């Protein structure tokens, strides 16, 4: 991993908040910069969704002993996931912790990443095996930090607070928090609705309490899903590239 300049983890203690969607858009957005090489690693061993999101479902990964060869979405955007190793997208991965940890170690050690400017690591929910393994294995190669994803409602924030405390206990820097699914603007009447009401102040209040940056809010918007298959990120479209 010494040839990878920047390593960013996408975390959340909660499932279903949009980590994989955000990771995919972040990778696409970074790949827009000419001359930058981007890699996206999916370490959600039991629920790998990156192949589907990136339009690579059904593409097998090849091996040139002793290295795995990743899949390319664009000339400067590479992807690796356990999903490429399954016979079918419906196959269940029924592994105990040590085997999952071994697979993550293989992805970090036995993939010829080459010269990469940004490695984005999409993680599963929780604060256990996969997270500890990634942090442990990358610690010697330096991790830039974690972007933590949440949605506005308290049931999500409860788990995200645990993730923040996890990062602090393992000394993983927190780049900031993104509030996903933050409001919905009706395409017809243009009124905004809070599908997931921030009854306890949402991500803004949580970030204030913990003293960490709120990087931004991403609305519920069907265009976000559609944009995954074209080379533009929602960050450019929703914020004018800021």
């Amino acid at each position: 991993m010494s040839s990878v300049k920047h390593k960013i983890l996408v975390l959340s203690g909660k499932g279903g908040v949009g980590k994989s969607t955000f990771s995919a858009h972040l990778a696409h957005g970074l790949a827009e910069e000419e001359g930058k090489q981007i890699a996206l690693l999916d370490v959600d061993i039991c629920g790998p969704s990156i192949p589907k999101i990136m339009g690579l479902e059904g593409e097998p990964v090849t091996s040139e002993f002793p290295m795995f060869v990743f899949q390319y979405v664009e000339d400067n955007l590479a992807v690796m996931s356990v999903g490429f190793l399954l016979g079918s997208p419906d196959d269940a991965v029924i592994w105990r912790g040590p085997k999952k940890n071994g697979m993550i170690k293989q992805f970090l050690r036995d993939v010829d990443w080459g010269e990469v400017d940004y490695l984005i690591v999409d993680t599963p929910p929780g604060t256990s095996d996969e997270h500890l393994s990634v942090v442990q294995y990358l610690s010697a190669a330096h991790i830039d930090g974690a972007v933590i994803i949440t949605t506005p409602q308290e049931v999500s924030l409860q788990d995200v607070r645990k993730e923040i405390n996890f990062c602090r206990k393992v000394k993983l820097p927190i780049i900031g928090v993104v509030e996903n699914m933050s409001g919905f603007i009706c395409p017809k009447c243009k009124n905004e609705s809070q599908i997931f009401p921030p009854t306890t102040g949402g991500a803004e209040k949580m970030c204030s309490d913990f003293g960490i940056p709120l990087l931004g809010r991403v609305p519920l918007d069907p265009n976000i899903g559609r944009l995954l298959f074209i080379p533009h990120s929602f960050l450019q479209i929703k914020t004018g590239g800021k």
Side-chain angles (χ1 to χ4, degrees):
M1 301 302 293
S2 59
S3 61
V4 179
K5 294 178 183 176
H6 300 288
K7 306 166 191 71
I8 299 172
L9 274 58
V10 179
L11 303 175
S12 177
K14 191 69 175 174
V17 297
K19 291 184 302 299
S20 297
T21 300
F22 180 85
S23 298
H25 277 296
L26 179 59
H28 272 297
L30 291 170
E32 286 288 295
E33 188 172 348
E34 189 174 350
K36 296 294 185 184
Q37 293 293 323
I38 314 302
L40 175 57
L41 173 60
D42 179 6
V43 297
D44 191 344
I45 303 299
C46 295
S49 53
I50 286 296
K52 177 70 172 181
I53 290 174
M54 300 299 279
L56 296 171
E57 193 173 40
E59 296 289 337
V61 71
T62 59
S63 177
E64 295 180 1
F65 184 83
M67 295 292 186
F68 287 117
V69 179
F70 39 68
Q71 293 287 348
Y72 274 99
V73 179
E74 301 170 19
D75 290 342
N76 66 335
L77 177 51
V79 179
M80 177 55 72
S81 169
V82 72
F84 296 140
L85 306 177
L86 303 179
S88 162
D90 297 331
D91 286 352
V93 177
I94 308 173
W95 292 351
R96 295 188 184 276
K99 192 166 184 180
K100 291 194 287 185
N101 296 342
M103 187 78 259
I104 292 170
K105 189 173 185 177
Q106 272 196 286
F107 280 155
L108 297 174
R109 182 192 62 191
D110 298 338
V111 173
D112 184 11
W113 294 105
E115 296 293 329
V116 171
D117 292 287
Y118 291 95
L119 172 66
I120 310 301
V121 182
D122 180 37
T123 65
T127 56
S128 56
D129 284 342
E130 292 92 330
H131 309 79
L132 288 168
S133 295
V134 171
V135 172
Q136 177 187 346
Y137 297 148
L138 288 179
S139 59
H142 176 70
I143 307 173
D144 289 77
V147 176
I148 298 177
I149 312 299
T150 187
T151 47
Q153 77 276 32
E154 178 58 24
V155 71
S156 174
L157 295 169
Q158 283 182 342
D159 289 342
V160 172
R161 292 187 192 100
K162 296 181 179 69
E163 195 75 49
I164 292 171
N165 285 321
F166 165 84
C167 291
R168 290 181 169 175
K169 286 181 179 179
V170 300
K171 296 179 170 55
L172 174 63
I174 298 173
I175 297 170
V177 173
V178 173
E179 186 177 82
N180 198 19
M181 307 182 199
S182 182
F184 170 74
I185 299 177
C186 176
K188 293 185 178 180
C189 69
K190 305 303 179 184
N191 287 330
E192 183 174 358
S193 302
Q194 295 296 330
I195 307 298
F196 302 108
T199 55
T200 58
E204 184 173 11
K205 176 65 164 55
M206 181 188 70
C207 287
S208 176
D209 291 343
F210 279 92
I212 56 179
L214 175 63
L215 300 177
R217 298 181 176 90
V218 182
L220 269 171
D221 189 332
N223 288 321
I224 290 175
R226 299 188 190 107
L227 291 173
L228 285 168
F229 299 100
I230 60 176
H232 297 284
S233 75
F234 68 81
L235 295 173
Q236 292 170 310
I237 289 177
K238 300 307 289 186
T239 68
K242 297 180 182 178

